[in-house]
Amino acid sequence: MTPSHQPLVAFTGLEKRAAAGLAAIFSTRMLGLFMVLPVFALYAHDLDGATPLLVGLAIGAYGLTQALFQIPLGLLSDRIGRKPVIYGGLVLFAIGSVVAALADGIEMVILGRVLQGSGAIAAATIALTADLTRDAVRTRAMAAIGISVALSFAAALVVGPPLARWLGISGIFWLTAFLAIVGMLVLAYVVPDPARSSVHREAQPVLDQFAGVLGNPTLLRLDLGIFLLHLTMVSLFVVLPLSIESAGLAPVDHWLLYLPVVLLAIVAMVPFIIMAERGGKVKGVLLGAVTAMCASMVGFYLFHQSIWVVGFLLLVMFTVFNLMEAILPSLVSKAARAGARGTAMGVFSSSQFVGAFLGGLLGGLAHQSFGADAVYLVGAATSLVWIGLAATMAMPANLTAHVLSLGEQPAEEGLGLEARLLAIPGVEDAVVALDEGVAYLKVDSGRLDWATLQTFSARA
């Protein structure tokens, strides 16, 4: 019997509240960050001092501070508690939103976006999720948060254009400030307080694991992949709304293009995920997706005057984006050592936000220096770099992460227990965390002697 055949453990009522509440906090914050993407380039000319470079910087500025503060605030939450850090992050996000809403000039909008990003609560939110859930349901709780972020991105593209028409850009920023306050209320009245907070190596960064993570060439290529993906996507939105408008669709009606494209892209990615995960063709799917992204950016450069072509290319781009957002974290989980997934995902996520920042900056610079069309060539160039990285990357072994509950064990048992676990057929990597009362394993589900493995848990 392998871990995949274990009966599905149901969420408790407290775990449901925790997962739903934290997903709501995460998604509303990301909705606030993303809503300006499809509209800011269209309305920024009303701001004093607006130039293409500064518009691009305003779009991506949140990514820099998000990347800088995400891991440190997660580590701080180990010391002072999860909720105080999340409250502080939401307050910073609200302040940044108000600064941007009150701005008359582009510089103040940039400052507001920088403040929004500094309220980087991702790591602390994931850590709180781990505190409030059992090992058996934790992965599903994390997945719920991930799905909520993806839905937020899709929703932002659809609701952003009409909201910008009705409320203006300042109104969108006021709305994001309101969403931050809603997040605080959800944290106070929906999300339970944890009985205790502890380090969960599979869910959050651990300082002594950074050297190993940063020295792993496969993880570094995956980090560069998510960096290039978000660089390309954010740079695209520096000029894409302008291209859609010039192709004949009024800004208030841009949602009519985004809505069907977003929905179709979700459906279109499913067969490729099945092909990658069940068909064992991860590298082929990865290379094909990045090649399609490169071709799409060239297509935008050549044919952005046609709304029908733009719609088709957007469908390809969003399919690739959704596909990569599903495949790349899965590959990170497989490539990370047992017990190091939290650290690996922390570096991966920070790489994503650095990419968003540079996407806005490089997109704005290309627009200002060489014209709007040149931004699409920036995306094509970054895609070519990614093709080279993906083509030469060794795919990680198809191993499954498993957390084995041990209960209390004497300190001297650690190394001996690791050796005994590694002797079980199918256990490829093991890290015993006696402070957590668990062992983190990487297992080959097809070979695992599940009955023997369970005896270690039973003894506890």
Side-chain angles (χ1 to χ4, degrees), residues 189-425:
Y189 295 107
V190 177
V191 178
D193 294 320
R196 59 187 288 269
S197 292
S198 60
V199 174
H200 304 272
R201 288 167 175 80
E202 284 290 271
Q204 64 190 105
V206 179
L207 277 176
D208 60 10
Q209 294 177 338
F210 279 101
V213 166
L214 294 174
N216 185 317
T218 301
L219 286 175
L220 286 178
R221 286 172 186 268
L222 294 169
D223 294 337
L224 285 169
I226 197 69
F227 164 82
L228 293 170
L229 176 66
H230 281 259
L231 189 157
T232 303
M233 185 59 78
V234 173
S235 70
L236 176 66
F237 278 98
V238 172
V239 293
L240 177 66
L242 301 175
S243 293
I244 295 174
E245 183 181 34
S246 65
L249 194 62
V252 70
D253 294 325
H254 284 195
W255 70 273
L256 293 171
L257 177 64
Y258 289 128
L259 179 59
V261 165
V262 164
L263 295 177
L264 287 172
I266 293 172
V267 176
M269 76 169 179
V270 173
F272 295 105
I273 290 178
I274 294 172
M275 188 186 305
E277 295 294 334
R278 297 184 186 176
K281 299 180 179 179
V282 178
K283 189 164 187 174
V285 170
L286 181 62
L287 276 170
V290 181
T291 302
M293 185 171 78
C294 182
S296 296
M297 297 305 290
V298 174
F300 280 120
Y301 176 75
L302 295 173
F303 305 113
H304 59 266
Q305 302 87 355
S306 167
I307 194 66
W308 293 104
V309 174
V310 167
F312 172 75
L313 295 173
L314 267 180
L315 174 60
V316 175
M317 280 296 298
F318 288 161
T319 301
V320 170
F321 182 76
N322 292 335
L323 182 62
M324 292 298 97
E325 287 285 316
I327 287 179
L328 293 180
S330 174
L331 290 175
V332 170
S333 295
K334 292 174 181 177
R337 280 211 61 196
R341 181 182 181 276
T343 305
M345 288 303 299
V347 175
F348 178 81
S349 183
S350 295
S351 302
Q352 161 189 323
F353 288 116
V354 174
F357 166 68
L358 286 179
L361 180 63
L362 293 178
L365 182 61
H367 185 188
Q368 182 162 304
S369 302
F370 305 105
D373 294 355
V375 179
Y376 298 125
L377 295 182
V378 170
T382 57
S383 301
L384 284 174
V385 173
W386 193 2
I387 289 172
L389 289 170
T392 56
M393 182 176 73
M395 289 292 111
N398 190 22
L399 301 178
T400 302
H402 179 66
V403 181
L404 182 69
S405 297
L406 300 173
E408 293 185 8
Q409 299 279 344
E412 61 273 12
E413 282 289 311
L415 291 177
L417 186 53
E418 280 187 13
R420 295 201 301 278
L421 287 168
L422 287 169
I424 298 172

Side-chain angles (χ1 to χ4, degrees), residues 426-453:
V427 176
E428 302 297 329
D429 193 11
V431 172
V432 173
L434 294 178
D435 55 330
E436 297 179 53
V438 299
Y440 294 105
L441 310 176
K442 300 296 283 291
V443 303
D444 182 342
S445 299
R447 298 194 307 111
L448 181 63
D449 184 348
W450 180 246
T452 301
L453 182 62

Side-chain angles (χ1 to χ4, degrees), residues 39-58:
V39 296
F40 192 75
L42 294 166
Y43 296 95
H45 57 79
D46 292 333
L47 296 166
D48 293 338
T51 66
L53 173 60
L54 294 180
V55 169
L57 186 57

